[in-house]
Amino acid sequence: MIYESTRGAAAHLGFADVTLKGLAEDGGLYLPRSWPTLEADRIRAMRGLPYPELAFRILSCFTGNDIPGDTLARLTREAYARFDHGAIAPLKQLDTSLYVMELFHGPTLAFKDFALQFLGHLFNHLLGERGETCTIVGATSGDTGSAAIEAVRGLEAVRLYMLHPQGKVSEVQRRQMTSVLDENIHNLAVDGTFDDCQNLVKAMFNDAGFRARHNLSAVNSINWARITAQVVYYFRAALELGAPDRPVNFSVPTGNFGNVLAGYVASRMGLPINRLIIGSNSNDILTRFFESGRMEQQGVSPTLSPSMDIQISSNFERYLYELLDRDAGRIRGLMEEFARNGRFQIAGDELARARELFAAHRLDDGATSAEIGRVYRNSGEVMDPHSVIGVAAAREHGEPGIPTVVLGTAHPAKFADAVETACGVSVPLPPSLKHIMEGEERLRPVTNSLDAVRRLIDRATRRTPD
């Protein structure tokens, strides 16, 4: 399996090197040169498999010869051993054709655990095999940070610097990160937005000297291995609802486009996905794109669903590369225009083609709170402010006779105040996480400055520019 960059100027690599590099050296994102496809009989044969075995079969389509089969099988078993539900990703029916897949039974109560528990074990294997260490830099709007920290804490070969926007994540999300005191974990509270944090991470990767002296790697969904691990639960849900003999819709609350991109990948592999529905909050850059073909930043507004408070959807570049027939030169031009002016436009047949698979819907905070209450009254389900946006989007764009699966991305206890205000139900943290609200916190405030962040990491690792 060979991977290429969306911007066309980086070397072609195998799965292991793509995993450890994260971002391509030309600033692009890696994708397979061609998509692995599964025939209907092969998909049908996956019905009823335990989740780790299903993960092994899907991930082996992307790893090529880089990871032996017995090693990959061990990694998938280890990745999902700490989930607290036997089904790993249980599917619940909410209405006649509406389902929710609960993706919050991992150690940090969010869907990011599905990718990052696997990625942590994968990093440990690859670095150990090569006798190397690496520095991981990441940005989080709330859930990626805690999931990444939980995945790599205590690993001697990995040092993690996680950037989050100061004061713009929930208290539970913050404490899940800052209560981890392992020596290899460093939380940086940036005076800015998530987009600022994400831009700092990309800038560090684009600094060749800094990247080389720290052997930099990534845990954000710019890392291709994260996307592959998320493809698995699309297969799991669709198989339970009759795939490949029955089409399925998915409704996905998303800001950075990584979660819904995994659904696109599943469809390219042969899974019969009829429609991918994007749920947005007031930071609706993705919804506006699918309405108008215009990708335009408008500033980030704080909402009840902070993990989606994003205006630069990094993974969208991967989909755009596909939509524009893998024209790397055109992608470079559009990304340069977006960096320079905060906008770009597509139209005509390209926009029509995008709308054949994707639809999108937005909810502001008032509508989100009302939807939490409506779902609770009608079904008894208590949902967090992100997942419930997926429910509303599914009601807007679902089709009669085709089941729609909403991806339940976070446990409601992570946003307990918003949930209780909306539906009157108090949702306590599970016993395994109650300690985070009482223990010591460790974090480092930092200005929104690339030089400041680079100097901090250089000093902490005792590595300085030549």
Side-chain angles (χ1 to χ4, degrees):
M1 176 65 73
I2 300 298
Y3 291 85
E4 64 188 22
S5 168
T6 54
R7 302 193 189 181
H12 293 166
L13 300 175
F15 180 82
D17 286 328
V18 163
T19 298
L20 292 176
K21 278 189 175 294
L23 192 71
E25 291 182 352
D26 61 1
L29 304 179
Y30 282 108
L31 279 176
R33 290 188 69 185
S34 60
W35 294 109
T37 55
L38 302 175
E39 300 297 329
D41 285 346
R42 191 171 169 192
I43 295 174
R44 206 173 284 118
M46 295 179 183
R47 289 177 181 166
L49 290 177
Y51 195 93
E53 173 65 18
L54 178 64
F56 165 74
R57 295 201 188 187
I58 299 300
L59 289 165
S60 64
C61 297
F62 295 99
T63 55
N65 297 320
D66 282 23
I67 303 178
D70 57 346
T71 299
L72 182 61
R74 173 179 58 80
L75 294 176
T76 57
R77 287 194 304 271
E78 292 172 348
Y80 303 107
R82 296 178 59 199
F83 283 62
D84 66 7
H85 195 291
I88 309 299
L91 191 65
K92 285 186 176 180
Q93 189 166 8
L94 291 182
D95 207 336
T96 304
S97 297
L98 184 62
Y99 300 80
V100 60
M101 175 164 262
E102 294 182 345
L103 300 177
F104 48 74
H105 292 284
T108 71
L109 310 184
F111 80 98
K112 307 291 178 76
D113 288 322
F114 280 83
L116 287 164
Q117 282 293 304
F118 171 70
L119 190 60
H121 289 285
L122 182 60
F123 270 124
N124 205 36
H125 164 71
L126 293 175
L127 292 169
E129 190 175 57
R130 299 180 180 202
E132 295 179 358
T133 62
C134 77
T135 296
I136 295 173
V137 292
T140 184
S141 54
D143 289 330
T144 290
S146 58
I149 286 167
E150 194 62 34
V152 305
R153 61 184 298 180
L155 297 184
E156 292 184 2
V158 174
R159 185 185 295 262
L160 171 64
Y161 292 84
M162 184 56 63
L163 284 63
H164 73 267
Q166 188 170 21
K168 296 181 176 67
V169 300
S170 77
E171 184 180 11
V172 171
Q173 288 176 313
R174 187 193 75 244
R175 283 182 172 272
Q176 278 188 296
M177 296 185 287
T178 60
S179 63
V180 175
L181 305 180
D182 296 69
E183 291 185 2
N184 69 322
I185 303 300
H186 304 268
N187 284 291
L188 307 184
V190 176
D191 182 18
T193 66
F194 168 76
D195 289 334
D196 294 325
C197 297
Q198 187 167 247
N199 286 336
L200 289 169
V201 169
K202 287 183 178 180
M204 284 184 273
F205 272 93
N206 288 327
D207 179 337
F210 184 85
R211 183 173 184 162
R213 68 178 174 268
H214 290 285
N215 194 19
L216 220 56
S217 195
V219 288
N220 282 86
S221 54
I222 59 174
N223 191 310
W224 173 250
R226 267 195 57 178
I227 302 298
T228 62
Q230 291 173 251
V231 172
V232 179
Y233 47 72
Y234 283 90
F235 273 85
R236 179 57 167 259
L239 285 164
E240 289 193 27
L241 293 172
D245 305 303
R246 186 187 190 192
V248 182
N249 298 321
F250 286 91
S251 183
V252 188
T254 187
N256 212 21
F257 203 78
N259 203 6
V260 76
L261 178 73
Y264 174 78
V265 174
S267 72
R268 293 305 308 262
M269 294 177 72
L271 197 66
I273 295 177
N274 176 67
R275 177 163 288 185
L276 290 168
I277 305 165
I278 291 167
S280 300
N281 62 20
S282 299
N283 299 294
D284 60 349
I285 188 168
L286 291 172
T287 294
R288 286 186 280 112
F289 172 83
F290 285 102
E291 289 174 343
S292 67
R294 188 176 181 86
M295 181 69 77
E296 183 176 20
Q297 295 182 59
Q298 292 186 351
V300 177
S301 302
T303 71
L304 296 176
S305 44
S307 296
M308 304 195 313
D309 290 348
I310 295 169
Q311 283 287 293
I312 302 175
S313 305
S314 284
N315 264 287
F316 193 76
E317 182 173 336
R318 284 185 166 117
Y319 172 66
L320 195 64
Y321 185 60
E322 284 278 289
L323 182 64
L324 303 185
D325 299 318
R326 298 197 167 215
D327 184 340
R330 191 171 171 200
I331 292 294
R332 285 196 304 274
L334 288 175
M335 293 301 102
E336 288 168 4
E337 181 182 350
F338 190 66
R340 186 171 57 250
N341 301 321
R343 61 184 179 272
F344 66 80
Q345 176 89 43
I346 70 164
D349 291 344
E350 293 164 346
L351 180 57
R353 208 159 66 241
R355 289 171 172 168
E356 288 175 3
L357 180 61
F358 288 93
H361 185 65
R362 69 175 64 78
L363 263 71
D364 63 17
D365 276 358
T368 298
S369 187
E371 186 69 11
I372 293 172
R374 191 197 70 81
V375 170
Y376 178 67
R377 290 191 302 273
N378 290 350
S379 69
E381 288 292 320
V382 179
M383 301 191 76
D384 82 281
H386 305 78
S387 306
V388 83
I389 291 175
V391 174
R395 287 195 292 107
E396 183 72 17
H397 292 288
E399 300 174 45
I402 299 178
T404 300
V405 178
V406 175
L407 297 190
T409 55
H411 194 289
K414 299 188 78 167
F415 308 94
D417 291 345
V419 169
E420 186 169 4
T421 298
C423 67
V425 177
S426 176
V427 187
L429 277 174
S432 61
L433 286 181
K434 285 185 177 179
H435 68 280
I436 69 170
M437 304 305 291
E438 302 168 355
E440 177 187 350
E441 288 190 85
R442 189 170 67 195
L443 75 163
R444 176 79 173 268
V446 63
T447 60
N448 180 18
S449 160
L450 177 60
D451 286 341
V453 174
R454 282 188 303 203
R455 283 197 303 270
L456 187 155
I457 295 175
D458 280 334
R459 286 198 299 267
T461 56
R462 297 181 177 84
R463 296 175 187 173
T464 55
D466 295 331

